Amino acid sequence: MARGSQPWYYYILVQIPIYEFLPALGLFLAIFVGLRRKPKPEPIIEADTVNTDEVISLLEVETNSTIEIVEETDNAVSEEKNFPNTFGLLVWWSFISVAAFSFAGERMPWLTYHMALPMILITGWALGRIIDTTDWAKLKEQHVPLTIAALMIFVISLTGMLFALNGPTPPFQGKDLAQLQATSAFLLPMIVTILSAAGVTYLFREWTLREIRNVFILVVFSLLAVLTARAAFRASYITYDQATEFLVYAHGATGIKEVTQQAEEISQRTTGGMGIALAYDASAPDTGVSWPFVWYLRDFTNQRSFDQPTRSLRDSVVIIVDEKNFDKIEPAIGPGYIRMDYIRMWWPMQDYFTLVYDRDAAQPFPEDYACKGALSFLKLRKSKDYTLFCEGFTNPAIRAGLIDIWFDRDYTAYAQAKGRTDLTLTTWNPADKMRFYVRQDVASQIWNYGVAPAAVADVVDPTEGKYVPLSADLVLNVALENQIPLNAPRSLAFAKDGSVYVADSRNHRVLHLDLEGNIISQWGTFADGVSIPVGQGTFNEPWGIAVGPDGSVYVTDTWNHRVQKFTANGKYILEWGIFGQGETPESFYGPRGLAVDAEGRIYVSDTGNKRIVVFDANGIFITQFGSAGFDPGQFDEPVGIAVDKEGTVYVADTWNQRIQTFIPIESESGLSFVPGKQWDVYGWFGQSLENKPFIAVDDNLHVFITDPDGYRVMEFDNDGVLIRTWGDFGDSNTSFGLASGIAADPDGKIWVTDGLYNRVMRFTLP
């Protein structure tokens, strides 16, 4: 199982440099020492140099001493013969471990241990070899402790000087505070470096080059050992629960414990035990917050899980919601809750994913890369921006930030250099978020959770008391034999004969159905202009559909950014529209809603460009109105559009959470539309690609809208007064999975498309 989808260089450029730098450097030291090691020569005794007395004396040695000498000699010979095998094995083990785990499917931080083990063993041998081959008895007379102390000071101060020189603000650049601090941070270690270098040079005056090299290596590795121990202690006891550590992977964040502790305290203070009414999100496909709350909430006796937020959650005092249901929870529970945001699970920063491996990269390396040669060697190149690898060499601010991350796990400088605000413990990304809701009437008693111990003014949900249990008296599933079932149906419109047209969005077709669900006709195939050329009658998710006075059918081909006109039987007539930012009337960006008035004028809600564009029946531009904003006549994500029998235009101004009406005005300069009424909608809270409501107006001038993430329909009178709502989550005849398109038929019955359960539902109003 290839968990994590880490790049092939994950261990080489991330885990080993951050945590196992000592054994990695020790491996190369061991290779250097091992290849230079000279085998011990076997002793040769020449006959003419043998002293008879010495031989006799040796023979008189005690038996035990003789055995010890023989054993020591045998061990030395055995060690000498086994060295090539042992040395070769450890080197091979070290390199093959890195190669094998880098090639393997799963690349996780805990597997770094298997690569570090052989490197640790061979590093220990190399350092032991250096210690054994150093003449410490001779160096005893050369002030060894003082020399080592001076050498340590030299190495530390030189490192500090280099860090200061390569910081985001180089020294000697000016006189403002930051520049003076940078100069000071460079000068102090530079002075110490010079003084310690002079002292070390003086103390080394009688040392051989070999002795200097051995002691220098031991000092450097001693300092690296201190850094390794520091990193291990910090990762184990300080930042063990934080994604600032690259050892933390898909890790439960501290918010889990905080939420559990708060829920427990609220329960104890309000029920005297663990019986508080608590609900937690267990929605598919990743089971919501079930991991790890199933375990953390095990002692709560009145807990329950939910898959979709519904109004039944209002009985719960505490609710824990997963990120994917943020858009749906507040319409379900209403305004009577206090919200707190937390991180549930997080991953380490993964900017290193921007390193791209491309053996056949055609793009040349920019000439200003200081790391051009390294990139060429590693076959790494930039994709859309400088790769992290190159930035670490060429950008002083990034380089300083990476050093802070390596040394202190401090992301402040790096985040500033990258212009990011999501690298603090409260805003961390990548992460899975959650929300913790506490009912206001309870929170008012728990002042230390953000609400003063006083009466809280009730926030009225205007839909309270307006719900009616309305059941569909007709459901069309279009699942007949040899027929493709609906797939995310959107808008629908009626022909004069009572039959209905449905924009079957993700089947990229239009369906013409009778009232029994039988298919009268269908047309359309998929084309996106990339994999398949766009042609007449092809679609890429049609959302809007409308029928003209002459029976012509108009369809918004949403992601091909155009409107198409067909005969009642689906024969292509014409089209207009191109992708654009509204530079011209025909420059659409994801048009969705569509309506036709009694005069045959076509109204297109150009959703992405936040405007309504009006054409005649032949696609000739007449006028347009609307722009981005919140003022009357402005829009934010306009989707549904309808025209009543008096010619008034109604627009579902989705992200402004309101309905706006527009009055047509005929003048000498032409047709124009002025803002009329507007009223708020307690719904449309989400901003997902699915939460796109449609709107309809019946002959009584009642306005009907869908609230997709609220699983309901709302009915208003002509003044915006809410009359009723109906629907909840589910697949029954009284519920919706995703209320989407809506239309009123000539008999006053309301038809709704369910984009999740792929059906068309008809409701008869009380």
Side-chain angles (χ1 to χ4, degrees):
M1 182 172 64
R3 288 185 294 175
S5 302
Q6 297 292 334
W8 64 270
Y9 48 80
Y10 174 65
Y11 297 114
I12 299 173
L13 296 184
V14 181
Q15 287 296 320
I16 291 175
I18 291 177
Y19 295 104
E20 304 298 346
F21 46 86
L22 189 154
L25 293 174
L27 170 62
F28 293 100
L29 172 67
I31 293 173
F32 174 78
V33 172
L35 294 178
R36 289 174 57 90
R37 178 183 180 275
K38 296 179 180 179
K40 296 177 182 178
E42 296 182 4
I44 301 174
I45 302 177
E46 298 180 7
D48 56 355
T49 61
V50 173
N51 187 308
T52 306
D53 293 336
E54 291 179 0
V55 172
I56 294 173
S57 177
L58 287 172
L59 293 175
E60 292 175 353
V61 176
E62 294 180 4
T63 304
N64 290 340
S65 297
T66 303
I67 293 173
E68 289 175 3
I69 293 172
V70 171
E71 287 179 348
E72 289 177 4
T73 304
D74 289 344
N75 289 338
V77 172
S78 176
E79 178 184 352
E80 191 64 39
K81 289 183 177 179
N82 285 332
F83 170 76
N85 297 331
T86 305
F87 178 77
L89 172 64
L90 290 176
V91 172
W92 167 256
W93 185 8
S94 299
F95 280 103
I96 198 63
S97 295
V98 175
F101 283 100
S102 295
F103 178 77
E106 177 170 303
R107 303 182 187 99
M108 290 286 108
W110 45 85
L111 296 178
T112 311
Y113 160 80
H114 298 282
M115 286 156 275
L117 178 59
M119 291 191 287
I120 291 171
L121 294 175
I122 198 168
T123 298
W125 170 83
L127 295 177
R129 172 76 177 177
I130 290 174
I131 293 172
D132 291 342
T133 56
T134 302
D135 190 350
W136 297 105
K138 173 188 172 185
L139 295 182
K140 247 183 177 184
E141 304 171 359
Q142 305 296 331
H143 310 289
V144 174
L146 181 60
T147 304
I148 291 176
L151 191 56
M152 283 188 171
I153 294 172
F154 170 76
V155 172
I156 294 172
S157 57
L158 178 63
T159 303
M161 185 180 73
L162 293 175
F163 281 178
L165 189 63
N166 288 280
T169 304
F172 309 112
Q173 296 299 308
K175 297 182 179 180
D176 64 26
L177 181 60
Q179 292 168 333
L180 290 174
Q181 288 176 336
T183 302
S184 174
F186 173 77
L187 283 176
L188 181 60
M190 185 187 72
I191 293 170
V192 175
T193 300
I194 294 173
L195 294 176
S196 59
V200 168
T201 302
Y202 175 78
L203 293 169
F204 275 160
R205 67 189 186 278
E206 296 182 6
W207 290 41
T208 65
L209 184 61
R210 178 188 179 89
E211 292 164 348
I212 294 173
R213 182 194 66 198
N214 287 359
V215 171
F216 181 81
I217 290 173
L218 293 175
V219 166
V220 169
F221 273 83
S222 297
L223 295 175
L224 291 176
V226 172
L227 290 177
T228 301
R230 177 177 177 270
F233 181 84
R234 179 179 52 213
S236 300
Y237 299 105
I238 300 176
T239 54
Y240 61 93
D241 228 8
Q242 299 174 9
T244 54
E245 287 290 347
F246 287 84
L247 289 176
V248 170
Y249 194 87
H251 188 84
T254 53
I256 294 171
K257 298 176 183 177
E258 294 172 12
V259 164
T260 305
Q261 290 168 358
Q262 291 182 23
E264 181 176 350
E265 184 173 350
I266 292 172
S267 184
Q268 292 287 354
R269 293 174 63 176
T270 56
T271 69
M274 302 296 284
I276 193 172
L278 182 150
Y280 66 91
D281 190 343
S283 53
D286 55 2
T287 66
V289 301
S290 293
W291 185 92
F293 277 103
V294 167
W295 169 256
Y296 278 85
L297 302 177
R298 64 193 183 278
D299 294 329
F300 288 83
T301 58
N302 191 19
Q303 58 159 288
R304 68 184 178 99
S305 62
F306 62 90
D307 184 55
Q308 293 285 343
T310 64
R311 282 179 284 280
S312 65
L313 290 176
R314 298 182 184 188
D315 295 333
S316 301
V317 174
V318 170
I319 305 171
I320 308 170
V321 186
D322 186 57
E323 185 174 7
K324 63 177 170 294
N325 278 326
F326 284 178
D327 292 340
K328 302 176 182 179
I329 183 64
E330 294 187 11
I333 64 175
Y337 284 79
I338 292 172
R339 184 188 100 190
M340 289 164 275
D341 293 88
Y342 292 93
I343 293 175
R344 177 178 66 92
M345 185 167 64
W346 47 21
W347 289 261
M349 182 189 73
Q350 296 182 348
D351 284 7
Y352 55 84
F353 272 66
T354 59
L355 296 176
V356 179
Y357 177 78
D358 190 350
R359 184 179 301 276
D360 300 318
Q363 180 178 348
F365 296 109
E367 293 299 327
D368 60 341
Y369 274 13
C371 54
K372 177 179 176 181
L375 282 172
S376 299
F377 176 75
L378 293 172
K379 296 292 190 297
L380 298 170
R381 68 177 181 88
K382 76 172 188 176
S383 52
K384 294 182 179 178
D385 197 357
Y386 284 123
T387 63
L388 183 62
F389 189 90
C390 271
E391 286 177 322
F393 283 92
T394 61
N395 187 322
I398 300 274
R399 183 166 59 243
L402 292 175
I403 291 172
D404 285 351
I405 292 172
W406 180 81
F407 189 72
D408 276 330
R409 307 299 185 264
D410 182 357
Y411 291 76
T412 306
Y414 181 81
Q416 291 175 349
K418 298 284 284 186
R420 293 179 58 176
T421 59
D422 57 355
L423 289 176
T424 67
L425 293 181
T426 55
T427 63
W428 190 267
N429 187 49
D432 281 349
K433 298 177 176 59
M434 63 181 174
R435 286 179 180 170
F436 180 60
Y437 287 87
V438 182
R439 210 167 63 203
Q440 284 186 358
D441 61 327
V442 173
S444 63
Q445 307 169 38
I446 315 295
W447 65 268
N448 54 316
Y449 288 111
V451 182
V456 178
D458 290 336
V459 180
V460 179
D461 178 355
T463 66
E464 281 292 331
K466 301 292 185 177
Y467 172 79
V468 295
L470 199 58
S471 179
D473 53 22
L474 179 65
V475 177
L476 306 182
N477 290 301
V478 193
L480 305 177
E481 186 177 356
N482 300 323
Q483 297 293 344
I484 299 173
L486 293 168
N487 189 356
R490 307 295 184 186
S491 185
L492 68 166
F494 288 92
K496 289 183 178 181
D497 62 3
S499 60
V500 61
Y501 293 91
V502 180
D504 190 10
S505 182
R506 295 208 177 119
N507 280 327
H508 314 287
R509 65 177 177 173
V510 171
L511 285 179
H512 187 193
L513 307 175
D514 65 19
L515 296 189
E516 301 299 325
N518 298 310
I519 297 177
I520 300 172
S521 63
Q522 61 177 309
W523 66 89
T525 57
F526 172 73
D528 59 1
V530 179
S531 59
I532 301 175
V534 174
Q536 298 177 357
T538 62
F539 298 111
N540 187 2
E541 288 199 20
W543 278 62
I545 194 166
V547 179
D550 63 352
S552 298
V553 180
Y554 300 86
V555 184
T556 50
D557 186 6
T558 299
W559 297 119
N560 286 328
H561 313 285
R562 63 179 178 172
V563 177
Q564 296 190 70
K565 180 180 179 181
F566 302 90
T567 66
N569 295 322
K571 182 180 179 181
Y572 173 87
I573 299 175
L574 60 87
E575 68 181 77
W576 66 92
I578 59 172
F579 172 73
Q581 306 292 325
E583 304 89 349
T584 66
E586 297 81 13
S587 300
F588 297 138
Y589 186 5
R592 286 189 171 87
L594 197 61
V596 182
D597 66 15
E599 303 298 325
R601 291 185 288 247
I602 316 302
Y603 298 78
V604 181
S605 60
D606 187 8
T607 305
N609 290 323
K610 306 181 189 305
R611 63 175 182 166
I612 305 298
V613 192
V614 186
F615 302 88
D616 69 13
N618 295 314
I620 305 301
F621 171 72
I622 298 175
T623 187
Q624 64 179 0
F625 56 93
S627 61
F630 186 69
D631 292 336
Q634 294 183 315
F635 303 113
D636 192 0
E637 200 74 359
V639 179
I641 186 169
V643 183
D644 68 18
K645 62 184 180 181
E646 297 177 355
T648 301
V649 179
Y650 298 75
V651 180
D653 188 6
T654 310
W655 290 349
N656 283 329
Q657 295 178 277
R658 64 182 177 181
I659 295 170
Q660 293 195 73
T661 68
F662 295 85
I663 312 301
I665 302 295
E666 293 278 1
S667 65
E668 294 181 357
S669 59
L671 180 67
S672 62
F673 291 83
V674 297
K677 302 173 184 177
Q678 69 173 37
W679 61 86
D680 293 336
V681 173
Y682 189 78
W684 301 346
F685 291 98
Q687 297 191 3
S688 70
L689 290 176
E690 300 294 329
N691 185 12
K692 307 300 179 189
F694 286 88
I695 189 169
V697 184
D698 67 7
D699 288 340
N700 296 320
L701 301 185
H702 281 200
V703 180
F704 300 83
I705 61 170
T706 53
D707 183 12
D709 286 341
Y711 323 110
R712 61 184 173 180
V713 173
M714 298 183 185
E715 178 186 356
F716 301 87
D717 68 15
N718 190 245
D719 293 319
V721 177
L722 182 64
I723 297 174
R724 64 171 67 90
T725 72
W726 71 88
D728 203 341
F729 177 77
D731 59 359
S732 70
N733 287 7
T734 61
S735 306
F736 304 105
L738 185 76
S740 187
I742 191 166
D745 69 14
D747 296 328
K749 297 181 179 180
I750 304 303
W751 295 67
V752 182
T753 57
D754 186 341
L756 178 63
Y757 293 117
N758 299 312
R759 56 186 178 169
V760 180
M761 309 173 72
R762 186 185 71 183
F763 297 89
T764 300
L765 299 179

